[in-house]
Amino acid sequence: MALTRCGWLLLSATFLSAGAEISITPQPAKPAEGDNVTLAVQGLAGELLAYNWYAGPTLSLTYLVVSYIVSTGDETPGPAHSGREAVRPDGSLDIWGVVPGHSGTYILQTLNRQFQTEVGYGHLQVYEILTQPVVMANDTALVERRDTLRLTCSSPSPAEVRWFFNGNALPIAVRLGLSPDGRVLTRHGIRREEAGAYQCEVWNPVSVSRSEPVNLTVYFGPERVAILQDSTTRTGCTIKVDFNTSLTLWCASRSCPEPEYMWAFNGRALKNGQDHLNISSMTAAQEGTYTCIAKNPKTLLSGSASVVVKLSAAAVAMTIVPVPARPMEGQDVTLTVLGYPKDLLVYAWYRGPASEPNRLLSQLPSGTWIAGPAHTGREAGFPNCSLLVQKLNVTDAGRYTLKTVTLQGKTETLEVELQVAPLEQ
């Protein structure tokens, strides 16, 4: 064995043991990058001449960090010296401003005055100060039960990963969709309850960093399409409305995004793209089936609901409206009846008071009408009780009377005054 100022070279020696007594402990035990670390040595025995520190798994010159002569305090850097290492007189190794590259196995080799060597082993793990990870998604808008969600936690550090959903740790059931390294989260047939904010967090014993949230939207529906009136579901029902009153029907459904709406009346599309339909003044012409169709532009699914709207028979107020309102001599006029009884049995029109000599015509239960004593050949009746008078002359002006009889025997009489404007001479 020879000792020089440049270090010491092992020519021949006897090994006492292989780490049987020497222990090496990092201080601090879990250092972060940038910390100053001491590999503290305990268990050294006898009067020692020199130390060799290796940063590697074997006693190889390639891994030699530094040699130290105890008597002089001289240090000689080896091939693995990074410029940050120094040996203490007690054999401990100081490393200033450690980086992750300093992690690994360290070996201390000692030489005593009997030219015997002893080695001790230790391990140093330097933890990174983690940078913020990034969550990458295959898509952030998916269709329920059709699409697959795939989230990847991107981080340059080999740290542990955990996932968060809406600020809370993901439940175990969802975590079953994780890759073995925890960095890829997969959910087949995504569901609406899984829409929300996803984050991943990387961590080690000295550092933790969480990503910015990635917001996931899940499209679904429309489902449970329904027609409402005054917040009450009326789908499949018959809605009875008083004559000349208004009615608003609302179409509701469970859908994301909000569906596109279309309304139909008795199977015929209406020009209405809103979620509600207004019937401003209810008449017999507006009786029928109203259908709302909801279509989701993302899922391409649709649904519908229908209601039947009818006039309330007990509440209908029968009225007579001349059309045109002020006809001229020579024109035709229709005395239009609004709100006629739905349980009508027969009706009769009179020119003046409701007496037999004044009867113009009557409609029988069969639906046909017959002329009365006052019929001039220019009058015709309709099933809705309306009366047509053709080729008016000024003598047609005056009072007209309608008399109706229902199946229950209820009689109602209504009068209207017709005005006829003479032709200008």
Side-chain angles (χ1 to χ4, degrees):
M1 176 67 67
L3 296 176
T4 71
R5 291 184 61 83
C6 296
W8 54 278
L9 301 176
L10 181 62
L11 300 178
S12 63
T14 301
F15 283 92
L16 293 177
S17 63
E21 298 180 8
I22 299 175
S23 66
I24 299 172
T25 305
Q27 296 177 352
K30 296 179 179 180
E33 57 181 319
D35 286 350
N36 297 328
V37 177
T38 298
L39 298 180
V41 178
Q42 293 179 330
L44 297 180
E47 189 176 353
L48 301 177
L49 298 178
Y51 309 119
N52 266 358
W53 273 99
Y54 299 85
T58 62
L59 296 173
S60 169
L61 181 63
T62 302
Y63 302 128
L64 179 64
V65 177
V66 62
S67 296
Y68 180 83
I69 306 301
V70 175
S71 61
T72 63
D74 290 340
E75 294 185 17
T76 302
H81 196 276
S82 68
R84 306 185 187 200
E85 298 87 359
V87 181
R88 293 184 179 185
D90 66 356
S92 299
L93 180 67
D94 289 330
I95 309 175
W96 293 286
V98 292
V99 296
H102 284 113
S103 299
T105 300
Y106 283 79
I107 304 174
L108 171 62
Q109 183 184 43
T110 65
L111 178 69
N112 63 21
R113 287 190 178 278
Q114 289 73 43
F115 294 101
Q116 296 171 321
T117 64
E118 187 175 7
V119 295
Y121 294 85
H123 185 80
L124 174 63
Q125 178 65 52
V126 179
Y127 295 98
E128 292 182 68
I129 301 299
L130 300 172
T131 58
Q132 187 178 40
V134 176
V135 175
M136 297 183 295
N138 62 321
D139 202 339
T140 56
L142 303 174
V143 175
E144 185 178 38
R145 300 184 183 276
R146 188 187 76 185
D147 294 338
T148 295
L149 170 66
R150 186 172 293 104
L151 300 176
T152 302
C153 186
S154 177
S155 171
S157 305
E160 296 290 331
V161 176
R162 51 196 172 204
W163 289 87
F164 291 82
F165 175 62
N166 290 337
N168 299 314
L170 274 175
I172 294 176
V174 175
R175 291 182 64 83
L176 293 178
L178 291 178
S179 60
D181 63 0
R183 295 193 170 226
V184 180
L185 172 65
T186 304
R187 294 295 292 166
H188 298 286
I190 193 74
R191 297 184 180 183
R192 68 191 70 178
E193 58 267 22
E194 292 164 339
Y198 287 82
Q199 293 171 280
C200 73
E201 186 177 84
V202 292
W203 65 277
N204 60 34
V206 301
S207 179
V208 62
S209 183
R210 190 178 297 189
S211 71
E212 294 295 327
V214 168
N215 293 305
L216 172 68
T217 300
V218 177
Y219 299 132
F220 63 87
E223 299 173 349
R224 301 181 183 179
V225 180
I227 295 178
L228 286 73
Q229 177 196 13
D230 298 329
S231 302
T232 302
T233 300
R234 306 301 298 268
T235 302
C237 298
T238 296
I239 301 175
K240 293 190 176 182
V241 185
D242 292 344
F243 177 76
N244 205 31
T245 60
S246 62
L247 171 67
T248 300
L249 300 176
W250 293 87
C251 192
S253 68
R254 296 176 60 182
S255 177
C256 178
E258 186 74 11
E260 299 169 349
Y261 294 99
M262 183 179 73
W263 290 86
F265 173 56
N266 291 334
R268 186 182 74 255
L270 300 176
K271 294 181 179 180
N272 184 315
Q274 298 179 317
D275 61 352
H276 62 282
L277 177 68
N278 292 319
I279 302 175
S280 58
S281 182
M282 184 67 193
T283 65
Q286 292 162 305
E287 288 186 316
T289 300
Y290 289 83
T291 302
C292 167
I293 303 168
K295 181 177 180 181
N296 189 316
K298 299 296 184 180
T299 66
L300 303 182
L301 300 175
S302 60
S304 64
S306 298
V307 295
V308 175
V309 177
K310 289 187 175 182
L311 284 169
S312 300
V316 172
M318 188 166 58
T319 58
I320 302 173
V321 179
V323 180
R326 291 184 60 83
M328 296 186 64
E329 186 178 2
Q331 285 186 316
D332 296 347
V333 67
T334 300
L335 301 181
T336 304
V337 179
L338 303 177
Y340 68 94
K342 297 306 176 188
D343 54 350
L344 179 70
L345 177 62
V346 295
Y347 72 81
W349 275 99
Y350 300 88
R351 178 70 171 85
S355 61
E356 179 58 23
N358 299 331
R359 183 168 60 85
L360 292 170
L361 56 83
S362 302
Q363 177 175 284
L364 301 177
S366 62
T368 59
W369 60 269
I370 58 174
H375 194 270
T376 67
R378 295 180 290 118
E379 296 85 10
F382 296 97
N384 67 349
C385 301
S386 296
L387 175 70
L388 170 66
V389 182
Q390 306 175 69
K391 298 180 180 179
L392 289 172
N393 55 59
V394 292
T395 61
D396 291 322
R399 179 170 46 149
Y400 287 75
T401 303
L402 170 65
K403 186 176 182 179
T404 61
V405 181
T406 67
L407 293 172
Q408 288 74 34
K410 180 182 178 181
T411 300
E412 186 174 358
T413 301
L414 193 64
E415 297 180 348
V416 62
E417 193 74 23
L418 176 65
Q419 298 179 2
V420 179
L423 290 175
E424 296 183 0
Q425 300 298 325

